[in-house]
Amino acid sequence: MRPEGEPVALDATDRALINALQEGFPLCDEPYAAVGASLGLDEAEVLRRLADLLERKVLTRFGPLYQIEKLGGAFVLAALKVPEADFERIAAIVNAFPEVAHNYRREHALNMWFVLATETAAGIADAIRRIEAATGLAVFAFPKEREYFVELKLDAG
Amino acid sequence: MPDEIDRRLILATQAGLPLVPRPYHALAERLGIAAVEVEARLAALLAAGAIRRIGAVPNHYALGYRYNGMTVWDVEDEKVDALGAAVGALPFVTHCYRRPRHLPEWPYNLFAMVHGRDRAEAESHVATIAALLGTACRAHEVLYSSRILKKTGLRLSD
């Protein structure tokens, strides 16, 4: 198992900003200035560092995190058992579906795990059918039956 | 349910908030509504749980969490809800769900994500969960992620 990607060099200010920006962002006219004030940074510095963290892919996104199920849609975890020799081709096919919100390789016979997000519950079954047709592989669907806990934060140190 | 303006607000923000000093004003201009209405609608979506939070999503690897494991457990059906809640309450578990088994090849019904800066940290988290589940758990596996193939998040189409 060789995890991809190396840690990125972050200074103490970057780490403080990442932690603060995971705590929720104010709904006021000048929110970047408000976050900066809590960290002793001016607004321009917050915007510059945030753009840089996104550019360097330390942050994958910054903005509202939508819970599509509360908006009439659905999220479903799904997996494929992809033949090793065909992995790159199948990954490209799966990633091309806009319904695929994220996709990870995992070390298991089921070696490709992705999350489908669709605007309607019926969209999930439709997306699964189209992915099966495009890949020629059976999709294992793992819809959540109960959510015990979700917390998207990580301590940046 | 969201109305048409909410839907346009979602489309305008699903890739991210504008990186300008007054982001809600920038959105208001694009949507043809007042900034105060943008802020009020986002507040209402937050209150309804339709937005989990407004904030940053970190790349685990970049923050030094190189061992990101989906731990999966075959837990007795009568006990899984009580134990799932207990596993979800562990401070290092970021997601915890009950999901269907796919027998015979997939006997696992409890999923919990753990993250470690090194393998030993991740494995100590797995051991803590195993101890908590005790004999109610018949088998488990840890599926480490080895590549991020895609991570764009939700994308509704126009």
Side-chain angles (χ1 to χ4, degrees), chain A residues 44-126:
Chain A
E45 177 80 355
V46 170
L47 284 165
R48 187 188 66 73
R49 284 184 182 265
L50 179 53
D52 180 60
L53 291 168
L54 288 163
E55 171 71 28
R56 293 156 73 200
K57 302 197 189 315
V58 175
L59 302 179
T60 58
R61 243 176 325 141
F62 175 72
L65 305 182
Y66 287 102
Q67 164 47 304
I68 200 170
E69 288 148 334
K70 294 278 169 56
L71 298 164
F75 278 122
V76 167
L77 177 69
L80 290 174
K81 195 183 287 182
V82 183
E84 275 311 321
D86 221 11
F87 195 86
E88 298 304 322
R89 187 180 72 86
I90 298 292
I93 292 171
V94 170
N95 288 351
F97 281 82
E99 295 90 344
V100 174
H102 30 90
N103 186 8
Y104 290 88
R105 179 184 169 101
R106 295 189 182 278
E107 299 310 312
H108 191 270
L110 288 170
N111 53 0
M112 187 180 293
W113 289 78
F114 50 94
V115 171
L116 295 169
T118 61
E119 208 171 340
T120 64
I124 294 290
D126 179 57

Side-chain angles (χ1 to χ4, degrees), chain B residues 55-134:
Chain B
V57 179
N59 171 344
H60 296 73
Y61 292 109
L63 291 189
Y65 292 90
R66 301 177 68 226
Y67 290 79
N68 300 293
M70 183 173 77
T71 73
V72 296
W73 310 81
D74 174 10
V75 180
E76 291 175 29
D77 288 333
E78 320 76 69
K79 296 183 177 165
V80 67
D81 285 335
L83 288 167
V87 170
L90 293 169
F92 53 80
V93 170
T94 57
H95 300 68
C96 187
Y97 300 102
R98 189 181 86 209
R99 300 185 185 279
R101 297 183 176 91
H102 288 272
L103 296 172
E105 47 200 320
W106 188 266
Y108 310 110
N109 58 341
L110 180 66
F111 288 55
M113 291 297 309
V114 303
H115 311 275
R117 292 184 173 85
D118 54 37
R119 183 151 197 140
E121 185 180 7
E123 284 177 353
S124 80
H125 294 333
V126 175
T128 302
I129 296 173
L132 194 159
L133 294 175

